[in-house]
Amino acid sequence: MAFDPNDLMKDRITDIGPPHFEQFFPPIIKENYGKWIYHEILEPGVLVHVSETGAEVYTVRTGGCRLMSVDMIREICDIADKHCGGYVRWTTRNNVEFMVDSKDKLQPLIDDLKSRKFPAGSNKFPIGGTGAGITNIVHTQGWLHCHTPAIDASGIVKSVLDELYDDFCSMRLPAQVRISLACCLNMCGAVHCSDIAILGVHRKPPFVEHERVSKVCEIPLAIAACPTAAIKPAKVEGMKSVVVNNDRCMFCGNCYTMCPAMPLANAEGDGVALWVGGKVSNARCAPKFSKLAVPYIPNEPPRWPTVVKDIKKIVEVYASDANKYERIGEWIERIGWERFFERTELEFRHEHIDDYRLAMTTWRTTTQFKW
Amino acid sequence: MALTHKTPMLDELEKGHWPSFISDIKQIAERKPACDDLLGVMEKSYEDKEGHWKHGGIVGVLGYGGGVIGRYCDRPDLFPNVAHFHTLRVNQPASKFYSTEHLRKVCDMWEKHGSGLTNMHGSTGDIILLGTTTDELEPTFYELTHTLNMDLGGSGSNLRTPSCCLGKARCEWSCLDTQDITYNLTQEYQDELHRPMFPYKFKFKTSGCPNDCVAAIARADCSIIGTWRDDIRIDQEAVRAYAAGELVPNAGSHGTEPRPLDIQKEVIDLCPTKCMAWDGKNLKIWNEECTRCMHCINVMPRALRPGTDVGATILCGAKAPILEGAQLSSVIIPFMRMESPYDEFKEFVEKMWDWWMELGRNRERLGELIQRLGLREFLKAVELEPDPRMINTPRYNPYIFYAREDVPGGWEIDAKAYRERHQP
Ligand code: HEM
Ligand code: HEM
Ligand code: SF4
Ligand code: SF4
Ligand code: SF4
Ligand code: SF4
């Protein structure tokens, strides 16, 4: 039955949900579901999982851009058809995993992946992202597709991963380092629990387009959206509108989400903040939030050199300083924040001292500190 | 077709080893005018240091309140081919395995109806089809459901597409059938997924073990994390083999060369509860003291495995900072057995949603409502008894809201009798 634009209800199918996952399992995965007994990393990016049946599945993990054209997906399909019986998988961190069911299929797959490059020279399928290294940077949309970003996403990620490329392809670090990026405080990617988080920040309060407000916004919703009650209703030149108490604004962008006549993106105001020491796993210590390391770096397209330099510095100091198994947050808690700022040579500024709700839970309430 | 926009800044992003998204867009921009103009807008954003997308308008497919995100360029005069550039969220198969046969159909469909650009995948888990026009939405949806047997995911104030780690499909540590849970919940709650009925978004995420590879504890209003209650399974011979350097520690995470594992230093001393001992021959674990952090299992996967009395810890309330600040999920049900069809879990979910829908304000996430009204109110609503596993520490402020019925005689005071005992 073909689509009929004049009768949308004809044969309409709704609410069928996603296809059942099992039909996409490679046979070896289906046969050994729940039977895996151990795994090992054979080289960076290459894993073997062994089943109680004796079956082995070899996985090659490759880093990918989350933004992908259908040409790229078709190329992935070609590789999976050629080597992997027509199956492939994506990870939560936008890596692509190719699986084969015997060791002799592994090297041809690896060679094939390594041989593929874009015309301008970058690798299409870097192999890595396992163990005590860094894996793909999860990120949001940035200037490419969202309406509230303070920064770009894919371009910063590309620049940082070019610099940390060797740490994607190797496992020299004390533990894994998860880096994430969100282009505004909405944090679609929920980056607030990452070893290193890159966050887009606005620094100018919204300006109000009074002649548009009452046309495009529900004024009570815009007022209610502000967490600091900075927005008040007002009549401006006879028009129903709002005013913002700029001193109370903490640049969250909520008002803009509710009211498009209150934009706050701005070339001079916007930029990047870096956060460190978060984690989600429960291994050894509890999950932790990331904490502020660098309050503000201006936008520096196209290669974002300061962001890249500061992240590189944090990774290098961590690599040389931390004990084996220590995540960045565990390392900092052991040495103390005063040492963290000293060793990374990052400047400690007033912005590092919390002044929002529950701030005092972050202030030092002991005489135990280091000189 | 030659590319129409000069992009000197974006061209810089074609250099370096990491895959270049610009190179990728360029290859498809040769035949897709929308992608060509997208490069133009991006270059302009790189020059201006400001984005050029308007606030999303309301677009969608008939009968659905979510799944499509409207996107319009604020310079259609310069970039007419991306004047509309809407996004569709497509509900991914749990844990993101695909057959190439199916993926090729997705590509063909999106080549025909959209820009040919995707996100594989969005943060919530969906396949994101990036960039189409309003009049293509219904034909795309028709083909999605008829040819691909796929459906839209969630956006707006509704259930978002549930997601999970790969669990039993390829991980020996999974205590849960993560995919089945995700599939089952997604099917059960199709209506909640497609028709906004909540105060704000709601997310389920499921991880098979406390390593939490999908970051459920940080990203889901309801986080389902696999765990066990009995003893860690030990293969003592394999422990000795690690100590002797016959097996590669930490599954090779610190390098693939075999080396003797210093069990005292790398396992026992790092155990947060210090519930292990090693006498050079046998590893002893006082399991009743273990908090199942996974460290020892991560380091010796061939010797140690989670127990077999498995289920999930259910935690609630995680969210990103907007509005009230970032929150992690808090333990609500320390242990629940998770067996299909998950009736016990669904009973809990429905009580939780009823409470949130009744009392939550517009755009208030569940975690914020719990914070505003208190965990005790939430526990009452979902009919659970308090348990020390729900807290890090008992309160240290003395301001307790006792209820009238907690105190003998309620809040009534006999003023006359009081004054008979005390002069004014
Ligand atoms: C060596 C054994 C491990 C294996 C085989 C493994 C497997 C995986 C897999 C397959 C993914 C992608 C998950 C998905 O897309 O569903 C992943 C991601 C992840 N893993 Fe593991 N993992 C291991 C150890 C760990 C450990 C020890 C930790 C924490 C200490 C950990 C934390 C994470 C995190 C945080 C993510 C990313 C979640 C995200 O933000 O997307 N993993 N892991
Ligand atoms: C109209 C406003 C918004 C739009 C258009 C929007 C758009 C999106 C998009 C496109 C995604 C998928 C993200 C990706 O993978 O790139 C997403 C996910 C997400 N959004 Fe938003 N968003 C909006 C408002 C918000 C707000 C106000 C919050 C915070 C309360 C928020 C928090 C999140 C989170 C936490 C995720 C997903 C994280 C995950 O599942 O891992 N978003 N949003
Ligand atoms: S983090 Fe902010 S700017 Fe980035 S995609 Fe999400 S809402 Fe848009
Ligand atoms: S940006 Fe946030 S704090 Fe500032 S006025 Fe808008 S809602 Fe209020
Ligand atoms: S969360 Fe646990 S079960 Fe799931 S993939 Fe990660 S390590 Fe395996
Ligand atoms: S799982 Fe963690 S707490 Fe339990 S014995 Fe192992 S290291 Fe110790």
Side-chain angles (χ1 to χ4, degrees):
Chain A
M1 214 61 65
F3 174 68
D4 178 357
N6 299 315
D7 188 359
L8 295 180
M9 294 317 288
K10 200 176 74 193
D11 315 317
R12 196 168 184 82
I13 301 177
T14 65
D15 300 284
I16 53 174
H20 194 269
F21 52 89
E22 203 182 76
Q23 62 189 281
F24 299 133
F25 283 168
I28 185 159
I29 294 290
K30 198 156 155 184
E31 286 154 19
N32 294 286
Y33 193 80
K35 296 184 187 159
W36 303 105
I37 47 172
Y38 71 88
H39 75 282
E40 214 163 281
I41 301 169
L42 300 177
E43 56 185 272
V46 181
L47 299 149
V48 58
H49 285 76
V50 180
S51 160
E52 64 192 29
T53 65
E56 296 177 335
V57 63
Y58 294 85
T59 304
V60 183
R61 183 177 295 174
T62 65
C65 300
R66 157 180 129 133
L67 180 83
M68 233 175 229
S69 73
V70 292
D71 293 351
M72 191 68 193
I73 300 175
R74 287 179 179 130
E75 186 166 346
I76 289 167
C77 290
D78 291 343
I79 299 169
D81 282 343
K82 192 160 142 206
H83 300 276
C84 312
Y87 297 93
V88 62
R89 162 175 198 269
W90 269 259
T91 74
T92 327
R93 302 194 74 91
N94 310 322
N95 296 306
V96 184
E97 292 187 332
F98 297 94
M99 281 156 279
V100 292
D101 55 14
S102 80
K103 193 162 192 175
D104 45 303
K105 297 181 186 166
L106 192 55
Q107 202 55 46
L109 169 63
I110 292 174
D111 294 341
D112 189 352
L113 291 167
K114 284 190 173 160
S115 72
R116 291 171 190 257
K117 290 183 192 293
F118 283 108
S122 65
N123 294 297
K124 285 183 174 169
F125 300 101
I127 297 173
T130 52
I134 66 149
T135 186
N136 209 338
I137 301 183
V138 290
H139 60 99
T140 47
Q141 321 216 49
W143 290 334
L144 188 108
H145 203 243
C146 192
H147 65 298
T148 61
I151 59 176
D152 190 30
S154 306
I156 299 183
V157 166
K158 161 79 175 142
S159 302
V160 173
L161 279 169
D162 276 340
E163 179 72 28
L164 297 180
Y165 188 79
D166 290 343
D167 282 324
F168 178 83
C169 303
S170 67
M171 303 187 293
R172 68 160 181 138
L173 299 175
Q176 70 265 52
V177 173
R178 306 277 189 228
I179 308 182
S180 315
L181 176 149
C183 28
C184 84
L185 266 57
N186 276 337
M187 287 199 199
C188 293
V191 308
H192 54 280
C193 296
S194 309
D195 293 280
I196 301 177
I198 305 166
L199 179 65
V201 293
H202 299 291
R203 296 185 311 166
K204 291 199 186 196
F207 70 93
V208 185
E209 298 174 289
H210 297 295
E211 61 291 349
R212 283 185 77 212
V213 168
S214 64
K215 292 188 200 113
V216 296
C217 315
E218 296 267 2
I219 288 178
L221 285 183
I223 292 168
C226 181
T228 67
I231 305 175
K232 294 264 171 327
K235 264 223 153 63
V236 182
E237 293 165 18
M239 291 173 287
K240 264 210 229 158
S241 184
V242 295
V243 290
V244 178
N245 177 345
N246 288 338
D247 293 329
R248 293 183 78 153
C249 178
M250 41 70 167
F251 318 103
C252 68
N254 256 309
C255 48
Y256 179 62
T257 297
M258 300 316 283
C259 177
M262 299 181 71
L264 75 170
N266 179 279
E268 292 167 330
D270 297 349
V272 183
L274 298 180
W275 304 70
V276 295
K279 74 195 267 279
V280 293
S281 95
N282 287 276
R284 297 171 308 283
C285 58
K288 298 179 200 302
F289 290 120
S290 317
K291 283 99 182 167
L292 185 64
V294 183
Y296 179 76
I297 300 169
N299 275 324
E300 299 170 323
R303 296 297 307 197
W304 316 89
T306 311
V307 173
V308 170
K309 182 187 80 184
D310 285 352
I311 290 178
K312 177 77 176 168
K313 179 92 196 189
I314 294 166
V315 170
E316 285 308 324
V317 175
Y318 162 71
S320 66
D321 243 48
N323 294 331
K324 191 184 269 180
Y325 301 105
E326 256 175 0
R327 297 283 291 265
I328 288 186
E330 295 171 273
W331 161 62
I332 298 174
E333 278 175 16
R334 177 169 58 79
I335 64 170
W337 284 96
E338 56 273 45
R339 286 282 178 276
F340 169 80
F341 284 100
E342 196 178 290
R343 292 191 192 167
T344 54
E345 293 166 347
L346 296 171
E347 188 191 358
F348 188 83
R349 302 161 47 95
H350 73 83
E351 292 93 338
H352 288 103
I353 298 181
D354 193 357
D355 51 11
Y356 197 57
R357 290 173 196 153
L358 304 177
M360 65 287 187
T361 60
T362 63
W363 302 339
R364 183 102 62 168
T365 50
T366 163
T367 56
Q368 299 173 4
F369 50 80
K370 297 177 188 174
W371 293 111
Chain B
M1 193 185 97
L3 303 185
T4 39
H5 304 282
K6 289 248 168 307
T7 56
M9 288 176 111
L10 298 185
D11 296 348
E12 287 295 315
L13 291 170
E14 293 200 86
K15 298 174 183 164
H17 293 308
W18 188 257
S20 169
F21 66 105
I22 296 296
S23 299
D24 189 14
I25 304 177
K26 277 188 177 174
Q27 64 185 9
I28 189 165
E30 306 220 347
R31 60 176 196 278
K32 285 278 182 188
C35 297
D36 186 26
D37 269 0
L38 182 66
L39 288 169
V41 186
M42 274 293 275
E43 181 74 16
K44 183 159 177 54
S45 292
Y46 269 52
E47 286 161 10
D48 296 350
K49 302 185 191 175
E50 285 170 9
H52 281 286
W53 299 101
K54 279 202 254 193
H55 210 281
I58 305 288
V59 287
V61 300
L62 201 66
Y64 279 28
V68 181
I69 297 163
R71 192 64 80 222
Y72 301 90
C73 184
D74 69 7
R75 294 307 304 270
D77 53 330
L78 302 176
F79 310 107
N81 297 310
V82 289
H84 307 198
F85 203 65
H86 310 319
T87 294
L88 285 97
R89 290 189 181 169
V90 177
N91 198 327
Q92 81 288 0
S95 79
K96 307 182 187 114
F97 284 86
Y98 295 96
S99 70
T100 53
E101 188 195 345
H102 194 83
L103 273 178
R104 286 183 199 280
K105 283 191 207 159
V106 174
C107 292
D108 293 347
M109 193 269 295
W110 196 232
E111 173 100 41
K112 188 161 128 207
H113 293 291
S115 71
L117 292 181
T118 74
N119 286 156
M120 297 293 281
H121 299 75
S123 309
T124 301
D126 310 84
I127 298 176
I128 310 258
L129 301 177
L130 215 54
T132 192
T133 54
T134 308
D135 49 2
E136 287 293 346
L137 293 173
E138 285 294 346
T140 310
F141 180 70
Y142 186 92
E143 202 165 327
L144 195 66
T145 47
H146 284 78
T147 317
L148 300 184
N149 194 26
M150 291 181 107
D151 199 348
L152 294 181
S155 69
S157 290
N158 50 14
L159 178 64
R160 299 301 176 85
T161 306
S163 71
C164 60
C165 79
L166 87 180
K168 288 179 188 291
R170 214 193 54 213
C171 186
E172 67 269 27
W173 295 331
S174 193
C175 301
L176 298 176
D177 200 336
T178 55
Q179 282 102 339
D180 190 60
I181 293 169
T182 301
Y183 183 76
N184 188 305
L185 295 179
T186 313
Q187 291 296 351
E188 174 88 21
Y189 298 121
Q190 280 294 300
D191 202 28
E192 285 80 357
L193 211 122
H194 292 134
R195 285 157 209 101
M197 50 179 74
F198 294 149
Y200 199 22
K201 66 178 80 166
F202 193 94
K203 296 179 179 179
F204 288 114
K205 292 190 196 290
T206 307
S207 276
C209 82
N211 279 335
D212 194 5
C213 290
V214 285
I217 207 164
R219 308 198 296 166
D221 301 85
C222 182
S223 322
I224 304 165
I225 301 183
T227 191
W228 67 95
R229 283 193 301 196
D230 54 346
D231 296 353
I232 292 178
R233 286 173 280 170
I234 309 184
D235 175 346
Q236 296 287 359
E237 231 169 90
V239 179
R240 291 189 282 268
Y242 277 111
E246 291 153 20
L247 297 174
V248 182
N250 208 10
S253 287
H254 285 99
T256 55
E257 289 300 305
R259 64 176 169 90
L261 176 67
D262 184 339
I263 291 183
Q264 185 63 38
K265 180 156 164 255
E266 295 190 35
V267 182
I268 312 240
D269 292 351
L270 296 179
C271 167
T273 60
K274 302 285 178 282
C275 66
M276 312 178 88
W278 165 245
D279 62 9
K281 284 198 196 66
N282 284 297
L283 184 73
K284 167 104 185 101
I285 303 178
W286 286 272
N287 280 282
E288 61 284 8
E289 301 309 321
C290 165
T291 49
R292 302 167 319 286
C293 82
M294 293 295 294
H295 174 73
C296 58
I297 299 176
N298 291 341
V299 177
M300 300 192 286
R302 294 180 72 161
L304 303 182
R305 303 179 69 189
T308 52
D309 180 15
V310 291
T313 301
I314 312 295
L315 308 92
C316 288
K319 55 178 286 296
I322 305 280
L323 302 163
E324 286 295 324
Q327 282 175 226
L328 290 163
S329 278
S330 303
V331 173
I332 303 299
I333 304 178
F335 187 88
M336 181 186 274
R337 204 161 304 280
M338 293 295 279
E339 275 156 16
S340 181
Y342 314 107
D343 287 334
E344 190 187 353
F345 180 71
K346 288 174 191 167
E347 266 171 48
F348 164 72
V349 167
E350 273 143 47
K351 281 184 248 173
M352 164 168 77
W353 282 349
D354 283 346
W355 183 72
W356 180 48
M357 284 195 275
E358 189 188 329
L359 298 169
R361 295 176 180 152
N362 183 31
R363 295 205 342 126
E364 186 172 48
R365 293 279 287 266
L366 175 71
E368 289 162 320
L369 179 63
I370 297 176
Q371 214 187 104
R372 177 160 65 85
L373 297 184
L375 185 55
R376 164 173 157 181
E377 287 304 309
F378 181 55
L379 294 178
K380 255 201 265 176
V382 295
E383 298 171 54
L384 287 170
E385 292 301 318
D387 185 311
R389 291 165 194 84
M390 296 170 181
I391 54 159
N392 285 329
T393 120
R395 72 161 74 222
Y396 47 84
N397 81 62
Y399 306 128
I400 304 174
F401 291 100
Y402 281 108
R404 185 189 293 261
E405 56 274 19
D406 291 336
V407 188
W411 290 344
E412 309 314 319
I413 304 272
D414 183 340
K416 197 156 155 269
Y418 182 87
R419 279 298 157 226
E420 277 165 14
R421 296 196 300 274
H422 305 271
Q423 293 180 4

